[in-house]
Amino acid sequence: MAAIPALAHHSFAAEFDEKKPVVLKGTVTKYDWSNPHVFVYVDVTESGKISNWATEWESRIELKRTGWKPDSLKAGDAVTIDASASRDGSKRASGKSVMLAGGKKLLAPTEAQMLMPSPAGSAKPAPRWPDGHVRLGIGPGELGYWANASAPGLTDNMKVKLNRDGLLANLADAGKAAPFQPWAQALYEYRQRSLLKDDPMASCLPPGGPRQFQVPYGLQILEDPDRKRMFIMSGGANRNWRLVYLDGRPLPAQDSVSPTYFGYSVGKWEGDTLVLNTSDFNERFWFTNGGLPHTEKLSLVERISRPDFNTLKYEVTVDDPGAYTKAWSGGWNLQWIPDQEMEEYFCDDNNQDLEAK
Amino acid sequence: MKHSMVGLVAALGGLLAVTPAKAHHSFAAEYDTTKAVTLKGIVTKVDWMNPHVYFYIDVEADGKITNWGLEMGPPNMLERSGWSRNTMHIGDEVVVEGTLAKDGSKQANARSVTMADSGKKLGAASSESSGK
Amino acid sequence: MRRHFLPALVTGAATIAMLTMPSLAQNGAPIPPPNGAPAGAKGGGRGGRGKNAGPARPTPHWPDGHVNLGPLPGEKGVWEGGAGATLATNINGGLDNPARNLPTNLKISEVPFQPWARAMYDFRQASTTKDDPHVRCKPSGGPRMFHTPYGFEIIDMPEVKRVYFAGVGGPHTWRVIYMDGREHPKDWDPSFAGHSVGHWDGDSLVVDSVGFNEKFWLTREGIPSTEFLHLTERFTRTDYNTLKYEATIDDPGAYTAPWTGGWYITWQPGGEMYEYVCQDNNRDVRHMYGGARN
């Protein structure tokens, strides 16, 4: 299956054209083993002239799963790289495979390989705190975190077909993605048609709202019951923390706090489900990976539960009278990734998609 | 009537090494601590965001209007100094005391803002270390 | 604070109209910030923002005896960070903060730099730190979190044998310290935060970290480090309001011997952490006169 980096922190399709293959034969000048992308730079000789190409790959976290190592390549190595050309004609390409002298081959991961390794076998019941309520994070002696969202993106009732970037399989389905107001549908269609090129996450802006439960590299939930609060800690994006208050405080009065990326969140347990209410979002991010619009009037009700040890169930109701004609809902599951930590990842590490503002 | 400050600035330049106590970066890399400025103008834009709130004012001099950019602290710090994001509006007249940008552009770091209509003066939660 | 007010011209003109001198002592040395930090090793501590409520409360402990690095149950608060503090004192560079820095801090001339590292530090200082990665929203390992403004928390989770640090300013990120006696892993991809293991030593949390990359500055003034850095950090709550931070830099790639520096961090009672996103509208990069673009 074609190795499209579908779980990129930005839209592959906006930058590269998988229908335009390019073969680069030359010498490695630099091997940048970083996040969000590993880069391999090669000097290629064409008609007697040497030019330097930048090939972009997945994060080092993902490449390790297909056998890449920090020392797999070095300056001076003779290589042949299969890649997809950039849309803008620059000397940049999205790498598919590297062949080294001696026949060793390094591949970009398949979509299946992009997912975190998760357990097979029967699930145990969800663990509980001494007071009986479900444990959403690690318990004593445990190690693991949540990742691998079971749906590619959030839409109304999860009806519409999307790829893992959040791109519609069929642009004609746009109207079905959510109960849009006309301006919001027009904006959504524009974002989809332009292949999500304006995604704020490409500039390392945070994934607020439901998107935090979807981005690659996982999340960890840190419960702090002594202080009646909870942290939702991202393994991807900017490795930020989101704070949820569980101390019974109300949401702030309208317009009394500055709007933020993660909003102001209060929550409480209803049986085995944690119910979060969040409002006071700013408008400078996309709350879904496909670019569904929102306004400052957005409020979310998120329901988080753990039906068994390996499953985190995430349901969300979107209520934004500025963008939609009524409230709507969606959801997915996350899988428990055992026996490992979220590897360090920062979007800002060597982000070359970032325009210096 | 103009006062030439150039000679005085040059003489004092050597003494003014200031530790930028509250900055998340070096204040001195962006702003010239020897060059204070006072600007009176009309607000044209307010960007109420992190890491710094920026606002822009049209300043009139000799019949010409120039737009200046001013930097303040982050929203949360400003809220502690009595601001909300609705305190200043486009069209408000304000007087700003601040420190000039190093690169000669029409930018400054604000130390205080006085609203002309109410006379209310608020600190700008500046990252310069002249106290709070 | 002495101010010299020269005749001022306040009109619509966008020219220099008033010159204000910053506070200088008689000998020309900078005066520490007036809102001051605890005085010296006695850890006198101040009662809180705007308040001076007498002697500081004693160091809090949990029922099992180990030190509480957060607020007492039912209370709130945040560690304010040592904004303005430095790991080593550089009087000529104006880098001194006697109210915050540990009295045992070295002068910059005493820091056992290798020549290249001293040259790197001097360059960063001479260029007014215009290339600081932190300003470009990059994360930093080690001490930087503890002199970044807007505060941080230490979240102790003894039942899972971990301590987390969460910071408001800068990259707004978190860090995990493993308290379960594990060793550093053999194969570790160098990272911004490195790999940290810790233990309790009386009222101190002692953290041992390796595995750093070379993409950050240890502190705001540009103290360099390499991948060989072995960092030991000691957090000691000397009284309710005071956290003493000591960092031992053992980096044979940049220094000829280990050396230690640190500062005092103050408690902000009643405080809560809040959201701060560096990438939101970061204009500092283009304002850093002569600095690199990203």
Side-chain angles (χ1 to χ4, degrees):
Chain A
M1 132 138 229
I4 299 167
L7 290 178
H9 72 113
H10 61 78
S11 165
F12 165 88
E15 278 191 60
F16 302 104
D17 189 349
E18 55 151 344
K19 295 194 180 67
K20 286 210 188 109
V22 64
V23 179
L24 301 168
K25 196 165 166 163
T27 312
V28 174
T29 55
K30 189 177 171 193
Y31 177 48
D32 185 358
W33 179 248
S34 291
N35 297 318
H37 298 287
V38 170
F39 281 89
V40 182
Y41 298 86
V42 277
D43 270 346
V44 176
T45 308
E46 276 169 316
S47 328
K49 220 179 75 137
I50 297 179
S51 50
N52 191 259
W53 281 73
T55 62
E56 180 180 302
W57 303 80
E58 286 72 11
S59 71
R60 69 184 194 188
I61 296 174
E62 285 149 341
L63 289 186
K64 277 195 272 209
R65 289 194 214 120
T66 63
W68 292 62
K69 292 191 174 42
D71 58 1
S72 289
L73 293 167
K74 59 186 187 304
D77 284 347
V79 294
T80 304
I81 296 182
D82 269 311
S84 301
S86 66
R87 286 193 185 273
D88 65 2
S90 62
K91 296 205 186 325
R92 256 170 95 99
S94 178
K96 293 191 280 197
S97 70
V98 184
M99 173 98 87
L100 288 124
K104 177 160 183 186
K105 207 163 180 182
L106 295 165
L107 301 170
T110 62
E111 195 166 308
Q113 287 171 319
M114 299 272 268
L115 297 174
M116 306 291 181
S118 62
S122 58
K124 307 180 283 200
R128 291 178 183 272
W129 289 84
D131 70 357
H133 89 258
V134 173
R135 201 185 276 278
L136 297 177
I138 55 168
E142 290 172 7
L143 179 60
Y145 61 94
W146 299 108
N148 295 354
S150 61
L154 171 64
T155 56
D156 184 14
N157 287 308
M158 314 305 285
K159 276 195 297 253
V160 173
K161 203 160 171 347
L162 303 174
N163 76 2
R164 279 201 167 262
D165 269 350
L167 274 173
L168 290 165
N170 211 327
L171 189 54
D173 285 340
K176 294 192 211 136
F180 293 107
Q181 293 181 16
W183 76 267
Q185 180 166 343
L187 179 55
Y188 178 64
E189 285 171 354
Y190 170 75
R191 289 173 176 176
Q192 287 280 325
R193 259 199 316 276
S194 56
L195 304 174
L196 313 176
K197 68 172 174 62
D198 297 328
D199 187 349
M201 257 190 85
S203 305
C204 295
L205 289 170
R211 200 168 182 187
Q212 187 186 23
F213 283 80
Q214 200 175 41
V215 295
Y217 318 123
L219 59 87
Q220 186 55 279
I221 294 178
L222 198 67
E223 295 180 88
D224 190 3
D226 285 341
R227 295 191 57 187
K228 299 191 170 66
R229 61 185 188 167
M230 191 170 88
F231 290 87
I232 303 171
M233 333 238 310
S234 288
N238 298 331
R239 205 167 168 87
N240 294 141
W241 49 267
R242 169 187 168 194
L243 185 50
V244 174
Y245 297 106
L246 303 176
D247 58 5
R249 69 178 70 184
L251 282 174
Q254 190 148 50
D255 225 22
S256 63
V257 295
S258 293
T260 54
Y261 288 89
F262 289 106
Y264 194 105
S265 288
V266 300
K268 62 185 193 306
W269 284 94
E270 288 178 2
D272 281 344
T273 301
L274 182 66
V275 181
L276 306 180
N277 271 277
T278 311
S279 64
D280 294 292
F281 290 100
N282 70 39
E283 294 177 3
R284 299 192 288 280
F285 65 98
W286 289 2
F287 77 107
T288 73
N289 58 354
L292 284 171
H294 73 276
T295 71
E296 282 185 6
K297 296 191 173 84
L298 173 68
S299 69
L300 298 178
V301 178
E302 293 161 293
R303 289 186 157 75
I304 301 171
S305 57
R306 190 172 185 177
D308 61 62
F309 191 96
N310 294 328
T311 307
L312 192 76
K313 186 171 172 189
Y314 177 80
E315 301 164 290
V316 58
T317 300
V318 176
D319 189 0
D320 185 350
Y324 302 98
T325 56
K326 57 184 171 146
W328 54 276
S329 302
W332 53 86
N333 290 341
L334 292 175
Q335 287 180 315
W336 184 250
I337 312 299
D339 305 325
Q340 56 178 289
E341 291 284 21
M342 297 191 292
E343 231 181 285
E344 187 187 276
Y345 174 100
F346 285 100
C347 176
D348 259 315
D349 185 350
N350 80 340
N351 186 16
Q352 314 234 353
D353 305 305
L354 185 71
E355 283 178 29
K357 290 199 222 168
Chain B
M1 188 165 75
K2 276 196 227 173
H3 295 263
S4 170
M5 303 296 186
V6 173
L8 192 60
V9 166
L12 291 169
L15 287 180
L16 297 176
V18 173
T19 307
K22 278 298 219 183
H24 71 112
H25 58 79
S26 166
F27 183 89
E30 293 185 38
Y31 299 101
D32 189 339
T33 53
T34 68
K35 292 200 179 120
V37 66
T38 299
L39 301 164
K40 183 165 156 179
I42 308 289
V43 176
T44 57
K45 190 176 184 215
V46 182
D47 284 338
W48 191 259
M49 300 185 225
N50 283 312
H52 296 282
V53 170
Y54 289 93
F55 68 100
Y56 301 84
I57 60 174
D58 274 345
V59 178
E60 192 186 327
D62 308 318
K64 216 177 77 136
I65 294 181
T66 313
N67 192 257
W68 279 74
L70 287 318
E71 176 184 301
M72 302 203 285
N76 263 284
M77 297 303 285
L78 288 171
E79 279 161 14
R80 286 182 210 182
S81 306
W83 291 82
S84 83
R85 69 176 179 140
N86 298 315
T87 299
M88 201 162 49
H89 307 96
I90 293 173
D92 286 352
E93 186 178 34
V94 296
V95 176
V96 183
E97 292 170 343
T99 305
L100 269 184
K102 221 168 169 162
D103 63 1
S105 64
K106 302 273 179 271
Q107 316 253 18
N109 184 283
R111 264 177 278 115
S112 72
V113 180
T114 305
M115 316 295 158
D117 58 1
S118 65
K120 189 170 180 192
K121 182 173 181 175
L122 291 170
S126 163
S127 42
E128 186 176 11
S129 95
S130 30
K132 290 223 205 129
Chain C
M1 183 160 73
R2 287 158 52 214
R3 282 175 177 265
H4 290 273
F5 288 96
L6 297 150
L9 197 67
V10 181
T11 64
T15 52
I16 298 167
M18 188 159 72
L19 193 67
T20 307
M21 284 178 64
S23 44
L24 290 175
Q26 292 287 53
N27 60 0
I31 292 175
N35 53 331
K42 297 195 190 86
R46 60 191 175 94
R49 194 178 290 280
K51 292 190 280 207
N52 214 331
R57 295 152 77 186
T59 304
H61 294 86
W62 293 107
D64 70 357
H66 96 261
V67 64
N68 178 351
L69 295 177
L72 282 171
E75 295 189 16
K76 291 190 225 169
V78 169
W79 289 112
E80 216 179 297
T86 57
L87 214 52
T89 298
N90 183 348
I91 303 272
N92 294 333
L95 293 177
D96 184 23
N97 196 327
R100 281 213 183 268
N101 288 352
L102 297 181
T104 46
N105 275 10
L106 300 176
K107 298 200 195 51
I108 203 72
S109 54
E110 296 165 334
V111 171
F113 287 105
Q114 293 181 17
W116 77 265
R118 178 63 205 248
M120 173 78 86
Y121 170 83
D122 286 340
F123 172 74
R124 289 171 178 176
Q125 280 295 306
S127 56
T128 59
T129 70
K130 64 178 171 60
D131 297 323
D132 186 354
H134 181 101
V135 179
R136 290 151 180 87
C137 304
K138 316 283 183 185
S140 311
R144 191 80 189 250
M145 185 190 260
F146 311 114
H147 74 169
T148 293
Y150 318 133
F152 67 92
E153 280 198 37
I154 305 174
I155 306 153
D156 186 4
M157 320 219 61
E159 64 152 19
V160 294
K161 300 196 171 72
R162 293 173 182 218
V163 172
Y164 286 88
F165 286 86
V168 173
H172 195 73
T173 190
W174 52 274
R175 197 184 141 188
V176 60
I177 319 297
Y178 301 105
M179 305 290 289
D180 59 3
R182 71 177 68 182
E183 298 193 348
H184 294 305
K186 294 286 178 284
D187 59 340
W188 177 260
D189 246 334
S191 64
F192 287 91
H195 183 272
S196 296
V197 298
H199 67 275
W200 298 103
D201 180 13
D203 280 348
S204 300
L205 171 65
V206 182
V207 179
D208 181 303
S209 308
V210 296
F212 295 97
N213 67 30
E214 296 182 1
K215 300 182 192 181
F216 61 92
W217 295 4
L218 269 183
T219 61
R220 198 188 58 223
E221 63 266 34
I223 298 279
S225 63
T226 73
E227 277 189 15
F228 298 103
L229 172 64
H230 177 185
L231 177 69
T232 307
E233 296 165 289
R234 204 173 176 96
F235 302 84
T236 309
R237 193 169 193 172
T238 56
D239 61 56
Y240 197 91
N241 294 333
T242 310
L243 191 68
K244 182 179 175 188
Y245 174 72
E246 299 165 271
T248 299
I249 314 298
D250 181 2
D251 185 349
Y255 303 94
T256 56
W259 60 282
T260 301
W263 51 78
Y264 290 104
I265 294 164
T266 50
W267 184 249
Q268 185 197 96
E272 285 189 329
M273 294 201 293
Y274 52 86
E275 184 185 292
Y276 170 100
V277 169
C278 176
Q279 296 86 350
D280 195 354
N281 186 30
N282 189 16
R283 301 198 166 251
D284 291 310
V285 176
R286 76 162 131 188
H287 289 169
M288 300 288 263
Y289 188 53
R293 281 314 242 152
N294 69 9

